[in-house]
Amino acid sequence: MRDENCIFCKIVAGEIPSRTLFEDEDFKVMLDVGPAAKGHALIVPKAHYTDIYELPSELAGEAMKLAKRMATHMTTVLGCDGFNILQNNGVEAGQTVFHYHMHLIPRYKDGNEMILWKANQFSDAEMDELAEKLKV
Ligand code: AMP
Ligand code: ZN
């Protein structure tokens, strides 16, 4: 499960260096080269899956367990004041590397300003319709 043109596949194969924080059979955790904050790391499955839609459910579960473990450890070591765990799928959602990964971003009281979305407003009717349509 490798994509020859994928930078994360090359990192997993050891062809491009990375600062590895954790590694097992299924995952690599490494520092992000363009960190949003000190300690920003990425959880990367070793097999190539483009995004959340391709990622098998079992690996998705394992990735979240690993995120909890890493966030707990990183918070202790870094003494950060908050923590974002996020994950982008598709260009429109900000994905730039098309090999699934999860961002682990420590946040600090006096750190970089966080960029948040602007809240939208939809009518009650639209919200009701959406809720109905999206029920699983
Ligand atoms: P995304 O925009 O969610 O696809 O995130 C891609 C992330 O990968 C960005 O935060 C980049 O800084 C990071 N990145 C790109 N190339 C490398 C690399 N060679 N080693 C570590 N992180 C990288
Ligand atoms: Zn890949």
Side-chain angles (χ1 to χ4, degrees):
M1 288 289 279
R2 175 186 164 128
D3 178 325
E4 288 308 319
N5 299 314
C6 171
I7 187 165
F8 284 1
C9 282
K10 287 179 184 161
I11 289 174
V12 164
E15 294 159 18
I16 292 177
S18 67
R19 293 187 173 87
T20 302
L21 311 184
F22 172 86
E23 192 161 10
D24 69 5
E25 204 181 310
D26 295 322
F27 295 98
K28 184 190 253 305
V29 183
M30 63 187 182
L31 286 185
D32 192 305
V33 287
K38 191 173 78 180
H40 182 170
L42 302 171
I43 294 180
V44 180
K46 290 193 165 173
H48 182 92
Y49 301 103
T50 303
D51 51 28
I52 191 75
Y53 309 110
E54 280 193 4
L55 187 73
S57 294
E58 197 184 305
L59 270 187
E62 292 306 317
M64 188 47 86
K65 281 194 220 164
L66 183 53
K68 177 177 166 60
R69 180 177 169 193
M70 289 305 303
T72 304
H73 174 70
M74 290 165 73
T75 299
T76 303
V77 173
L78 295 165
C80 55
D81 304 298
F83 210 98
N84 293 124
I85 295 170
L86 60 93
Q87 197 270 309
N88 302 322
N89 300 283
V91 175
E92 296 307 326
Q95 188 174 10
T96 58
V97 175
F98 296 89
H99 176 132
Y100 175 94
H101 54 281
M102 201 182 263
H103 292 264
L104 304 173
I105 310 179
R107 295 292 181 181
Y108 305 89
K109 268 195 206 92
D110 301 315
N112 287 351
E113 193 189 340
M114 263 199 69
I115 298 162
L116 292 172
W117 60 83
K118 205 170 97 237
N120 288 282
Q121 280 240 306
F122 297 98
S123 70
D124 280 349
E126 280 175 298
M127 294 292 274
D128 289 346
E129 192 189 324
L130 266 174
E132 207 47 51
K133 202 155 77 180
L134 295 175
K135 274 185 187 153
V136 180

